[in-house]
Amino acid sequence: MNKIKRQLKDILRPAKYTVNSAIGYLYDYIRLIRHAGWVSVETPSKRDYKSSKIYHRLEKSLSFPNRRKNSGKDAVDDLNYFLEKHKTSKEYPTFHERIANNVLQQFLTQNAPEYSEPNKEATLDIATELKPSELGGVYNIDSLSMINGTLEDPEGFFNTRYSVRDFSSRKVSVETVLRAIKMALKTPSVCNRQAWHAYIIDDANTIKEALSHQNGNKGFGQKIPFLLILSSDLHAFDMPEERYQHWIDGGMFSMSVVLALHSLGLSSCCLNWSKSPLSDIAFRKKFKIKKSHTILMMLAVGYAAENLKVCQSQRKSLESYYTTLKK
Ligand SMILES: Cc1cc2nc3c(=O)[nH]c(=O)nc-3n(C[C@H](O)[C@H](O)[C@H](O)COP(=O)(O)O)c2cc1C
């Protein structure tokens, strides 16, 4: 490209990118107002997220060492209203609605019998059928038990993770990846909404097709043995203030998946999904991604080749990454 052409491009780029950003925001906005939790609130998956959002306030209240007198009162009212409103809805109770009933019952019987007595019985039937994994509420734990999670060589764990672009031919088992995803489910999320979803692709042709829509795998895509598409569900977010939350929670989940894979000896490389609306739509036409799921990134997964080169991807000095704030 000659110099004048480059200079002309440099001049026009800001205007072009300004317009394209506006189109991108519009696309995100349309997706948000179509799929957010405040639209068609009866939908089972939206109710599931919403009930978790509300009952988690009670779990928090139950976990405080010194609860204020009225702590949890508003959440009890909100939860009673919510459960009452939806108890004849389709697929009621969902997973989190069942837990919501139980947490409410625990809260009312153990902590605040004076709140909302009339609805207490309505919660009992469901709560008695719950499995231990559906109980909800709080655990009593010993802080020493958390020390079991301490790594012997934390720096070693983090510093041996690289974005790998040279994979061996060793087969990646779905079970191992699922184990990593299961560990990643422990990622914190806003009000415990866990709005993430991973799409798994483990056959070569489908990987090839998916990667043809992604622009950061040139030169190594053909060696990627296993691919994840990580996404986040807009159904979980029911307030305009939460408009970026699905990116944040989904990003945190994605990082957990990367680290969980690393802990199991699997390498990975995040593959950006920085896409124009048209490219995102084109991909959705080919692959069955749920409409409310926002694609966050692809993740190449595999065992690293025996001898390989990795990018240094140098970091600046620690001091340049933090600032101590004082009044
Ligand atoms: C969201 C995200 C998207 C990325 N997209 C790509 C990509 O498309 N292609 C690629 O080769 N690397 C991609 N990377 C990897 C980065 O280049 C890499 O993480 C960075 O250089 C730091 O290197 P390290 O992961 O080895 O520490 C991506 C990383 C992230 C977090």
Side-chain angles (χ1 to χ4, degrees):
M1 202 188 309
N2 68 35
K3 200 173 166 194
I4 298 180
K5 245 184 171 176
R6 277 185 195 278
Q7 283 170 341
L8 197 63
K9 275 197 158 187
D10 283 349
I11 293 166
L12 294 177
R13 190 175 297 114
K16 179 179 159 193
Y17 283 9
T18 305
V19 172
N20 286 353
S21 300
I23 296 169
Y25 276 122
L26 183 65
Y27 178 63
D28 292 343
Y29 176 66
I30 292 170
R31 284 188 34 75
L32 179 73
I33 58 171
R34 268 198 193 154
H35 303 297
W38 69 75
V39 196
S40 316
V41 289
E42 290 286 309
T43 314
S45 78
K46 294 187 183 182
R47 294 188 344 249
D48 196 57
Y49 289 123
K50 177 79 178 179
S51 54
S52 162
K53 179 177 176 177
I54 308 174
Y55 82 70
H56 188 60
R57 286 156 58 195
L58 289 181
E59 287 188 324
K60 285 200 295 187
S61 174
L62 287 167
S63 74
F64 297 149
N66 301 307
R67 289 182 49 246
R68 275 186 299 109
K69 192 166 170 284
N70 281 332
S71 175
K73 169 86 176 91
D74 291 346
V76 166
D77 290 344
D78 290 352
L79 203 49
N80 263 323
Y81 174 76
F82 179 89
L83 295 173
E84 190 61 29
K85 183 173 164 197
H86 295 295
K87 71 181 181 197
T88 53
S89 300
K90 210 171 119 199
E91 293 175 33
Y92 180 89
T94 63
F95 178 83
H96 281 296
E97 282 170 340
R98 288 162 71 84
I99 301 181
N101 274 285
N102 194 44
V103 172
L104 180 58
Q105 183 199 334
Q106 278 182 49
F107 191 86
L108 294 177
T109 51
Q110 295 166 23
N111 295 79
E114 70 279 17
Y115 299 164
S116 310
E117 280 289 326
N119 284 331
K120 206 168 78 180
E121 270 180 27
T123 68
L124 285 175
D125 295 348
I126 294 161
T128 47
E129 294 165 21
L130 288 169
K131 297 181 212 141
S133 62
E134 296 176 339
L135 286 176
V138 289
Y139 292 124
N140 289 317
I141 62 162
D142 181 336
S143 63
L144 283 177
S145 66
M146 287 192 243
I147 289 175
N148 290 334
T150 309
L151 298 175
E152 243 174 56
D153 179 12
E155 281 79 6
F157 177 72
F158 279 86
N159 293 335
T160 52
R161 185 213 52 82
Y162 297 96
S163 289
V164 164
R165 300 175 181 89
D166 186 4
F167 295 104
S168 76
S169 54
R170 186 172 160 194
K171 193 173 159 34
V172 176
S173 81
V174 176
E175 290 71 31
T176 313
V177 175
L178 289 179
R179 185 176 166 202
I181 291 175
K182 191 162 184 193
M183 287 195 259
L185 295 182
K186 203 57 186 86
T187 304
S189 61
V190 66
C191 302
N192 191 29
R193 267 173 281 176
Q194 310 163 43
W196 36 65
H197 194 89
Y199 293 87
I200 291 172
I201 309 182
D202 67 348
D203 82 277
N205 284 336
T206 319
I207 291 175
K208 191 172 172 200
E209 169 71 33
L211 289 177
S212 71
H213 292 256
Q214 200 276 341
N215 53 12
N217 67 87
K218 282 194 194 78
F220 67 101
Q222 70 285 357
K223 286 190 94 175
I224 295 174
F226 197 106
L227 192 69
L228 293 175
I229 298 171
L230 301 176
S231 72
S232 193
D233 191 358
L234 282 168
H235 279 186
F237 303 97
D238 67 336
M239 291 184 344
E241 291 79 2
E242 293 183 332
R243 65 195 178 279
Y244 293 123
Q245 200 62 48
H246 74 306
W247 303 110
I248 297 167
D249 287 16
M252 290 184 61
F253 172 69
S254 305
M255 187 70 243
S256 292
V257 173
V258 168
L259 291 176
L261 289 167
H262 180 51
S263 78
L264 297 174
L266 272 163
S267 294
S268 66
C269 184
C270 301
L271 299 171
N272 77 83
W273 196 247
S274 305
K275 285 292 179 189
S276 69
L278 286 180
S279 308
D280 190 63
I281 291 166
F283 186 74
R284 287 168 185 279
K285 281 197 178 139
K286 292 267 171 66
F287 289 85
K288 273 196 190 145
I289 306 291
K290 195 177 164 197
K291 283 189 178 147
S292 62
H293 288 176
T294 298
I295 301 173
L296 306 167
M297 68 180 78
M298 292 183 177
L299 189 66
V301 180
Y303 291 96
E306 202 172 328
N307 289 301
L308 72 159
K309 291 192 171 93
V310 290
C311 298
Q312 288 195 12
S313 298
Q314 289 289 357
R315 270 60 169 184
K316 288 186 255 180
S317 72
L318 173 62
E319 290 67 35
S320 63
Y321 291 104
Y322 74 89
T323 304
T324 305
L325 296 176
K326 279 200 184 106
K327 260 196 187 168

